[in-house]
């Protein structure tokens, strides 16, 4: 029995309405990307396992929060896939110190620190210095600001 046109239109409208919020909530607005790759293509697991930033490759990739993440090895890729929240940087990879002021700043992959098992990235030497000097304050303020700004594009935050 053929499906009538009204039902088809309703089904299509429902699919769009249901999928649209998911596309808006988790993407390049909430995750810092460069050329479509999260955190400049740096392997987030390497910060924990090698103690330094390591460039990922197109050979080892996955999608998390609707953006592409790259890894330096199959092992790191699998670690991330098994527990992405453990390895993904805080604040979607945006600058932690910037987030403490409620702004999204692009990061430099070599300005980082792990605190209490969480990865924090920063935008420039001044931001890293402030993060190191006032770690608890920066994290507390950033944690307060993140829920309010995570879904707002960086260029709209001023």
């Amino acid at each position: 029995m053929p499906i009538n046109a009204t039902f088809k239109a309703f089904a299509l409208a429902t699919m769009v309405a249901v999928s649209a919020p998911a596309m808006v909530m988790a993407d390049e607005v909430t995750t810092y990307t460069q050329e479509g790759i999260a955190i400049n293509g740096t392997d987030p697991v390497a910060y924990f396992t090698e103690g330094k930033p390591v460039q990922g490759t197109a050979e080892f990739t996955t999608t998390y929060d609707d953006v592409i993440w790259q890894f330096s090895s199959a092992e790191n890729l699998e670690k991330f896939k098994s527990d992405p929240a453990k390895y993904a940087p805080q604040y979607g990879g945006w600058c932690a110190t910037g987030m403490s002021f409620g702004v999204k700043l692009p990061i430099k992959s070599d300005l980082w620190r792990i605190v209490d098992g969480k990865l924090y990235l920063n935008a420039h030497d001044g931001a890293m210095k402030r993060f190191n000097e006032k770690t608890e304050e920066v994290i507390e303020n950033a944690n307060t600001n993140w829920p309010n700004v995570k879904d707002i594009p960086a260029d709209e935050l001023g």
Side-chain angles (χ1 to χ4, degrees), residues 2-3 6 14 16 21 32 38 54 57 68-69 77 79 89 92 94 120-121 131 133 142:
I3 299 173
T6 303
T14 302
V16 169
Y32 172 66
V54 176
T57 69
I68 297 168
W69 296 75
L77 169 61
K79 283 182 181 183
W94 295 97
Y120 298 89
L121 302 170
F131 186 89
E133 290 174 351

Side-chain angles (χ1 to χ4, degrees), residues 106-128:
I107 54 95
K108 291 176 83 174
S109 303
D110 61 340
L111 298 175
W112 63 282
R113 191 161 143 212
I114 294 172
V115 178
D116 295 330
K118 296 178 181 180
L119 175 60
Y120 298 89
L121 302 170
N122 279 285
H124 51 75
D125 291 336
M128 193 71 228

